[in-house]
Amino acid sequence: MISDLERGRLSRVWSHRPQFLHLGLFITAYFLGCGFAQSLAITPGTGISIWPPSGLFIATLVFASRYSWLWWVLGACLAELFSNFLWFHTPLPAAFLIFAGNALEAVAGAWLVNQTCKRPVRLETLRDVLAFVVLAAGIAPVASATVGSAALAWFGIQSQTFATAWPLWWIGDATGVLIVAPLALVVFQNWRGKAQLSAARWMEACVLGLIFLGIAALSLSGYLPFAYIIMPPLLWAAVRFEFRGAAVALTVLALITAVFTISGASQFAGDPESQKHNQIMLQLFLAISAFSALVVAAISRQHQAAVLNLRESLEALGDRERELSQLVDMVPSHVWRLRPDGDPTFFNKRMVDFLGLDVTDLDKPGISRLAAMIKAGVHPDDAASFGDTLSHCLATGERFSMRYRLRRADGVYHWMSSRAEPMRDHTGRIVQWYGLCHDIDDQMQAEEALRRSELQLQQMIDAVPVRIWSAVPTGGPVYFNKRYQDHFRSVIADFEALGEPRIEELLQELVHPEDAPEVLRTLLTCFETGVGSAMRFRWRETDGYRWAECRVEPRRDEGGAVVQWYGVSLDIDEEVRAREALRQASDKLAQATQAASLAELSASIAHEVNQPLAAIVANSHACHRWLGAVPPNVERAKITAERIIRDANSAADVVGRIRALFKQSTETRTNATLSSVIAEARDLVAEEAMRQGVRVSVDVASDIPLVAFDRVQIQQVLVNLIRNGMEAMDDGAISIRVRHIGDVVQTEVSDRGRGVEFPDRIFEPFFTTKEQGMGMGLAICRSIIESHSGRLWVEKNEPRGATFIFTLPIEAKAAS
């Protein structure tokens, strides 16, 4: 089974497969490289020569993704086996072993180059070139030479031994790497790029190409003394055109060498006895040429890069200097520079524009630049101080800092804040001074305006007819206005000797001894909690103590922290005395009101008692008439006498209940139904209702529970409400309804009279709408209902009349 790791690797290999066109071009180039190698195998009895496929193979793996290496190895295997079938005719097992060595060489060389040079490998530095030569052309061919030489010796191909085959094999692969790999990398890296050459460079390339071809043809054909005469134009190509020129020149050199060697006209061709030596010389010639060209190209590239970097650095330095100059000119201050002796050497543009002159304008005969600048620019009142301070700093090396007035080009003086620091060398010697001069004229004017404003505020505070003080957050006094200080001097002996008195000392001197502890406690609480307060206390004056009110409030910063305590002390003695007089007058008025209320209460009591007394008088006259009749009607007189007794008891109960109500004595309440009390109240007003032609109807629901109440008081309420309804009507009917609503029993007494004109005031004591009324009946009724934990109110009837409603709670319990 394939594991997930292996499946992931296979997936990556498949996803990184090369394009079919690229793979086909690689196979074709590899196959042609094999043919080129076979054509140069001029040593009799060997198949060993320069091997260009090794350079192509390593360059391809260096440039390609590591996950695609398997595809390139398979393509190389196909190309090499096909070449073996056409040209080399090596046994198939030996051919596989030889390819395995070539593949091992390519993989090892590519891996070593990538690890050393890092991607992408561009062969643009001497370090990269040397690494490529050592690793790809020096170390990697060891694998191919070892495996290939062993295969030739093992299979006895052309009677080769391992010792004789290995050097030729190694140098052949190394030469192929040095010649082909740079060209392949150049082609890969510039596959779709365009040559960025000027017309002059193209002309130079054409001239160099002709010279290179001519010298190569003459030297390799034997007309010139030795082949290495080709080195000057080869190195010319490497120097002027760097790696591209070196790669193209090496490729052309290899092709020309192959043509002349194959044709037998080259100095590397000869009789069979010298072929082996000539083969080695050919490989060394190409290897040395390639190595020299690559090294020179790398050196040239680094030189060009260094020149370019130097040029860019110089340009950047020039840009920085211009930026610095612009920055100095844009600084919203005056920047200047002095020599160690104090003479100015530089003013920035802003300072030049302000003064209307530059440092060169200060060159005058018989006077230094510094003196000329002070004379021309510094205000006469500040010139001496400025010169002395700057001279002291120049002599001691101390930092210069000063405010002074400087003359503008239009003759107006502006306040300036100037600072200067010395710049020293490594020995500590001052080499020059750098200064910054900032226009603070607006600030100075603002400070002057602030001082004037503070003075005006001080004068205003001193003129305010109140005493004002302020204190720091800890409570220590910081400021007292003039009125406070004048007061202190008038009541405290030797006030000036106290210096800055503390709050505790002032309280002991000024506040009445009975009020001082509370005032101090309140102030300390304010300081601790940060919460303002107001206090009233007696304040010491020259003529004794007077009442004063002090308000304390904190001022906070943006973070909410208290930064100072203020507000004011006001003399309220007259106000306090006026309030005391008002209180006394109010007490007297209350006493008078109590007397009047007592009189009204007496009248109310008389009003309530008058009803049963009137009934007693009427029944007494009736009894007298029955007894005086002939013959005397004893039965009727007896009934009338019983009524007299009943009315007398009723009057006594009314008096007793009224006394209990106002004495707040214990009331006697029993559980009963309202229907019986309503019936008694209707009987009490029956004769009066008959005289006025008023009908009284009662509607009591069947589910009315027992309620705890005082019979006489509730009867009194019902009688009062019924009589008020009767007085409001000339004739008609009064209806009484009783309903069980929730946890209360609600009783309604309705009439069809004139209605209630002032429903919000009729329950107030002594308020009446009747000509002979005292205004106490409804007030007493509400008091009785509320003492039973109930409510009494009135509602208007439509179209006329009023309904008085009162409730009694069911939860009420009878008193024991």
Side-chain angles (χ1 to χ4, degrees):
M1 297 296 291
I2 300 177
S3 64
D4 292 339
L5 180 60
E6 293 173 341
R7 187 180 294 108
R9 289 176 177 174
L10 292 175
S11 176
R12 285 194 293 270
V13 169
W14 177 256
S15 63
H16 285 81
R17 65 188 183 278
Q19 295 183 17
F20 180 77
L21 174 62
H22 296 166
L23 188 59
L25 291 175
F26 170 75
I27 294 173
T28 302
Y30 196 98
F31 174 76
L32 294 176
C34 292
F36 180 84
Q38 195 276 338
S39 65
L40 291 180
I42 59 177
T43 303
T46 70
I48 304 172
S49 67
I50 298 173
W51 187 250
S54 60
L56 176 64
F57 206 171
I58 289 180
T60 302
L61 296 185
V62 165
F63 190 78
S65 168
R66 188 173 301 176
Y67 294 108
S68 67
W69 283 7
L70 178 61
W71 297 96
W72 301 113
V73 170
L74 293 176
C77 180
L78 179 63
E80 187 165 336
L81 292 180
F82 185 64
S83 300
N84 180 70
F85 174 76
L86 289 181
W87 298 312
F88 303 120
H89 307 294
T90 303
L92 189 59
F96 270 114
L97 285 176
I98 292 173
F99 172 74
N102 292 337
L104 181 60
E105 171 193 8
V107 170
W111 184 84
L112 290 172
V113 170
N114 285 335
Q115 290 297 112
T116 304
C117 300
K118 306 301 181 185
R119 285 180 176 271
V121 179
R122 304 187 67 87
L123 298 182
E124 293 184 346
T125 66
L126 183 60
R127 174 182 175 275
D128 288 351
V129 169
L130 294 177
F132 182 82
V133 169
V134 172
L135 299 175
I139 297 177
V142 172
S144 176
T146 302
V147 176
S149 298
L152 292 179
W154 189 8
F155 287 94
I157 299 175
Q158 297 183 357
S159 303
Q160 292 289 325
T161 64
F162 181 84
T164 57
W166 194 93
L168 292 175
W169 198 299
W170 176 82
I171 195 171
D173 278 17
T175 304
V177 171
L178 290 174
I179 293 176
V180 177
L183 177 63
L185 287 175
V186 168
V187 173
F188 294 158
Q189 294 165 358
N190 299 276
W191 181 261
R192 295 180 180 176
K194 294 182 180 179
Q196 302 295 329
L197 296 178
S198 63
R201 295 280 284 174
W202 275 112
M203 182 65 68
E204 180 183 2
C206 293
V207 172
L208 176 59
L210 293 175
I211 295 174
F212 185 83
L213 289 173
I215 294 177
L218 292 175
S219 63
L220 292 175
S221 64
Y223 287 98
L224 293 179
F226 53 93
Y228 287 97
I229 201 171
I230 194 62
M231 293 301 291
L234 177 62
L235 297 181
W236 180 9
V239 170
R240 295 294 293 162
F241 298 94
E242 300 174 354
F243 288 100
R244 294 184 182 181
V248 173
L250 287 174
T251 304
V252 173
L253 178 62
L255 292 174
I256 293 175
T257 302
V259 170
F260 281 102
T261 301
I262 293 171
S263 65
S266 172
Q267 57 181 297
F268 299 109
D271 53 61
E273 295 180 358
S274 61
Q275 283 298 321
K276 182 175 182 180
H277 172 76
N278 291 340
Q279 178 77 5
I280 295 176
M281 291 298 102
L282 172 62
Q283 292 173 336
L284 287 176
F285 167 71
L286 293 177
I288 292 173
S289 299
F291 178 75
S292 301
L294 292 176
V295 170
V296 171
I299 295 175
S300 177
R301 177 60 179 169
Q302 286 191 223
H303 172 72
Q304 293 297 329
V307 171
L308 179 61
N309 289 335
L310 178 59
R311 186 182 299 114
E312 292 177 350
S313 298
L314 292 175
E315 292 177 355
L317 181 59
D319 293 340
R320 296 298 180 270
E321 289 180 349
R322 287 189 293 273
E323 290 177 2
L324 179 60
S325 178
Q326 293 174 357
L327 179 63
V328 171
D329 289 337
M330 292 176 62
V331 170
S333 298
H334 302 163
V335 181
W336 44 271
R337 184 172 66 239
L338 306 178
R339 288 202 299 260
D341 60 359
D343 271 2
T345 58
F346 170 77
F347 293 157
N348 73 333
K349 185 176 183 300
R350 191 174 292 269
M351 189 170 184
V352 172
D353 294 341
F354 182 87
L355 294 175
L357 52 87
D358 204 346
V359 289
T360 56
D361 300 325
L362 300 175
D363 293 332
K364 299 183 182 299
I367 186 173
S368 66
R369 284 184 176 180
L370 178 61
M373 186 192 73
I374 294 176
K375 182 178 180 180
V378 181
H379 194 280
D381 295 342
D382 304 330
S385 175
F386 178 87
D388 294 342
T389 304
L390 183 58
S391 298
H392 173 76
C393 294
L394 293 173
T396 61
E398 297 177 1
R399 183 179 65 180
F400 173 77
S401 178
M402 186 178 177
R403 289 185 175 187
Y404 56 92
R405 284 162 289 184
L406 192 64
R407 185 178 182 274
R408 200 168 61 184
D410 58 1
V412 179
Y413 285 94
H414 275 226
W415 278 100
M416 296 288 172
S417 176
S418 185
R419 295 177 179 271
E421 296 277 355
M423 186 182 75
R424 305 176 186 268
D425 59 14
H426 66 281
T427 64
R429 183 175 62 89
I430 296 176
V431 294
Q432 54 189 347
W433 287 77
Y434 286 94
L436 187 69
C437 189
H438 185 61
D439 191 327
I440 59 169
D441 197 68
D442 293 341
Q443 176 184 343
M444 294 295 290
Q445 293 181 10
E447 290 179 357
E448 180 61 27
L450 179 61
R451 282 192 292 270
R452 291 195 299 268
S453 177
E454 289 178 347
L455 179 60
Q456 292 175 358
L457 178 62
Q458 179 70 44
Q459 295 173 347
M460 182 182 67
I461 291 176
D462 289 339
V464 171
V466 294
R467 296 164 184 168
I468 301 174
W469 62 273
S470 65
V472 296
T474 55
V478 234
Y479 169 76
F480 296 101
N481 72 336
K482 187 175 181 300
R483 285 184 177 270
Y484 245 130
Q485 296 182 24
D486 293 343
H487 173 68
F488 292 157
R489 293 186 181 92
S490 66
V491 298
I492 301 178
D494 300 328
F495 171 72
E496 305 295 342
L498 294 178
E500 292 187 358
R502 305 292 298 176
I503 289 181
E504 295 84 351
E505 299 174 353
L506 294 176
L507 292 180
Q508 292 177 0
E509 293 285 344
L510 299 174
V511 180
H512 193 283
E514 295 179 0
D515 303 335
E518 180 63 21
V519 173
L520 179 60
R521 185 190 65 80
T522 302
L523 285 176
L524 293 179
T525 301
C526 292
F527 297 152
E528 291 176 0
T529 62
V531 179
S533 181
M535 308 169 278
R536 290 191 174 190
F537 50 85
R538 285 163 287 182
W539 186 259
R540 183 181 172 190
E541 298 284 354
T542 55
D543 56 349
Y545 287 98
R546 295 177 63 86
W547 281 98
E549 181 178 75
C550 181
R551 294 183 177 273
V552 185
E553 292 292 339
R555 180 170 69 86
R556 304 178 184 273
D557 59 14
E558 295 180 355
V562 177
V563 295
Q564 206 159 15
W565 288 91
Y566 289 98
V568 295
S569 293
L570 301 174
D571 189 325
I572 60 169
D573 192 73
E574 294 182 359
E575 177 185 347
V576 172
R577 295 182 185 278
R579 288 187 177 182
E580 179 62 22
L582 179 61
R583 187 188 63 78
Q584 294 177 0
S586 298
D587 291 345
K588 293 179 180 179
L589 178 62
Q591 293 177 358
T593 302
Q594 289 177 355
S597 299
L598 182 60
E600 294 292 341
L601 181 61
S602 300
S604 174
I605 294 173
H607 174 272
E608 295 298 328
V609 175
N610 185 56
Q611 295 177 4
L613 291 181
I616 291 174
V617 171
N619 288 323
S620 298
H621 284 297
C623 182
H624 183 269
R625 286 197 305 273
W626 294 122
L627 291 176
V630 179
N633 192 339
V634 177
E635 289 300 325
R636 297 293 298 179
K638 184 177 179 181
I639 293 172
T640 305
E642 290 176 353
R643 290 180 178 176
I644 293 172
I645 295 171
R646 183 197 64 186
D647 292 338
N649 289 332
S650 178
D653 288 340
V654 169
V655 173
R657 297 306 181 207
I658 292 176
R659 290 180 61 190
L661 177 65
F662 290 97
K663 286 184 177 181
Q664 297 182 353
S665 59
T666 304
E667 299 175 351
T668 303
R669 298 182 182 180
T670 57
N671 286 328
T673 59
L674 281 176
S675 58
S676 59
V677 179
I678 293 173
E680 293 174 357
R682 186 174 60 175
D683 291 342
L684 287 175
V685 298
E687 291 186 3
E688 185 176 356
M690 289 179 61
R691 288 197 302 270
Q692 295 186 13
V694 176
R695 301 185 305 277
V696 178
S697 61
V698 179
D699 180 12
V700 179
S702 59
D703 60 343
I704 302 301
L706 298 179
V707 181
F709 57 88
D710 186 295
R711 290 183 70 89
V712 174
Q713 290 185 352
I714 299 303
Q715 186 186 89
Q716 183 180 0
V717 170
L718 288 168
V719 170
N720 201 319
L721 295 179
I722 294 172
R723 281 182 173 167
N724 284 344
M726 292 168 57
E727 292 174 358
M729 298 186 301
D730 295 333
D731 57 11
I734 293 178
S735 62
I736 302 174
R737 290 182 66 202
V738 182
R739 293 291 183 269
H740 178 196
I741 301 176
D743 56 354
V744 299
V745 173
Q746 179 172 302
T747 303
E748 302 174 0
V749 180
S750 299
D751 62 63
R752 293 293 182 268
R754 296 182 299 274
V756 179
E757 187 176 358
F758 303 100
D760 296 332
R761 300 189 61 191
I762 58 175
F763 295 103
E764 296 178 3
F766 308 118
F767 178 82
T768 181
T769 57
K770 304 175 184 178
E771 294 182 358
Q772 304 299 325
M774 295 184 294
M776 290 300 296
L778 290 177
I780 293 174
C781 290
R782 172 170 279 186
S783 299
I784 291 173
I785 296 301
E786 289 179 351
S787 68
H788 283 72
S789 301
R791 291 179 57 226
L792 171 62
W793 71 95
V794 64
E795 295 179 356
K796 291 183 178 180
N797 292 337
E798 293 297 338
R800 57 198 303 263
T803 299
F804 286 84
I805 307 169
F806 66 88
T807 61
L808 295 175
I810 299 173
E811 294 82 3
K813 297 181 180 179
S816 59

